[in-house]
Amino acid sequence: QSALTQPASVAGSPGQSITISCTGTSSDVGSYKFVSWYQQHPGKAPKLMIYEVSKRPSGVSNRFSGSKSGNTASLTISGLQAEDEADYYCCSYAGRSTLVVFGGGTKLTVL
Amino acid sequence: QVQLQESGPGLVKPSQTLSLTCTVSGGSITSGDYYWSWIRQPPGKGLEWIGYTYYTGNTFYNPSLMSRVAISVDTSKNHFSLKLSFVTAADTAVYFCARVPPKDSYAEFDYWGPGTLVTVSS
């Protein structure tokens, strides 16, 4: 069982927007700005898409955005494209004892 | 641009020690205040952070694996290594190495290796 809770799957049609939630606790997501999101295509390494809740690395499309409210972080993908179909993982700093926790992952299907 | 590449045996027997190396190219492992991490992914499952090391040898581990894990660094070869002892079938996974940028948290991973599958089986 993963420390952060994500929906197992979400789906959307091309051009639509979807949001993936990532629910933690006051010991991780709720207490720190260090939430990141990763995109993983089958057989590939994860790719950093969002860091520090809402910042995008250079080269990542501005269709990807992140936010946080309380113990829940969210990744929103707007203008869905076929290439966005992948697994998405959230990750959070969890304090000096646990340090790093991941979500269980969400499979995004573009219909 | 930095690149990471995992290497090591793809098959390990139960109760033995899994050993992997991550070679860093395109930059020195000693520069930039980065930490260097191992993360694994069992087949069909999610990501699990194993631990990370600084080039000085300062290490931090996932509490759930701490008793069996050792991460070390060899600056002369610009690589870092993972040892996981007393492995079982539950340790079968794709093992990734990744770079951790210097932040207050050290909980984000900006460059990843392609991963290597390690199967634990007799």
Side-chain angles (χ1 to χ4, degrees):
Chain A
Q1 185 174 354
S2 301
L4 305 179
T5 301
Q6 298 181 233
S9 62
V10 297
S13 299
Q16 289 186 331
S17 295
I18 63 94
T19 296
I20 299 172
S21 62
C22 170
T23 301
T25 68
S26 58
S27 296
D28 38 64
V29 173
S31 289
Y32 305 101
K33 66 175 183 177
F34 300 108
V35 176
S36 51
W37 289 90
Y38 302 84
Q39 175 192 65
Q40 185 181 34
H41 287 109
K44 301 295 186 181
K47 174 186 176 184
L48 179 65
M49 305 300 285
I50 296 287
Y51 67 98
E52 292 181 21
V53 176
S54 60
K55 298 179 180 178
R56 277 188 310 276
S58 174
V60 171
S61 170
N62 60 8
R63 297 186 298 105
F64 291 83
S65 62
S67 62
K68 189 184 82 163
S69 177
N71 296 338
T72 298
S74 298
L75 173 70
T76 297
I77 308 173
S78 59
L80 269 180
Q81 299 179 0
E83 67 207 47
D84 300 331
E85 185 163 292
D87 294 327
Y88 291 85
Y89 292 91
C90 61
C91 177
S92 176
Y93 179 62
R96 293 185 177 183
S97 296
T98 306
L99 291 170
V100 180
V101 289
F102 280 100
T106 298
K107 181 177 180 57
L108 169 62
T109 300
V110 180
L111 302 169
Chain B
Q1 178 170 324
V2 67
Q3 292 186 312
L4 296 88
Q5 179 67 55
E6 306 87 354
S7 60
L11 180 64
V12 181
K13 288 182 168 51
S15 81
Q16 295 192 341
T17 296
L18 177 160
S19 297
L20 295 174
T21 295
C22 179
T23 301
V24 179
S25 58
S28 172
I29 204 169
T30 64
S31 66
D33 269 350
Y34 295 100
Y35 271 73
W36 303 91
S37 186
W38 287 99
I39 296 157
R40 69 180 182 178
Q41 184 173 35
K45 297 187 178 180
L47 300 169
E48 179 180 33
W49 175 69
I50 299 172
Y52 44 53
T53 186
Y54 193 58
Y55 77 91
T56 57
N58 193 26
T59 55
F60 297 88
Y61 300 126
N62 184 326
S64 69
L65 296 170
M66 186 180 299
S67 63
R68 298 194 293 130
V69 173
I71 297 175
S72 60
V73 62
D74 187 334
T75 57
S76 68
K77 296 180 179 178
N78 218 42
H79 76 205
F80 61 106
S81 300
L82 168 70
K83 289 189 185 298
L84 181 65
S85 59
F86 304 109
V87 297
T88 69
D91 295 311
T92 293
V94 175
Y95 285 76
F96 297 99
C97 57
R99 191 181 78 168
V100 186
K103 301 282 179 71
D104 291 341
S105 71
Y106 292 99
E108 110 197 5
F109 310 93
D110 60 356
Y111 285 93
W112 296 64
T116 187
L117 174 63
V118 179
T119 301
V120 178
S121 174
S122 55

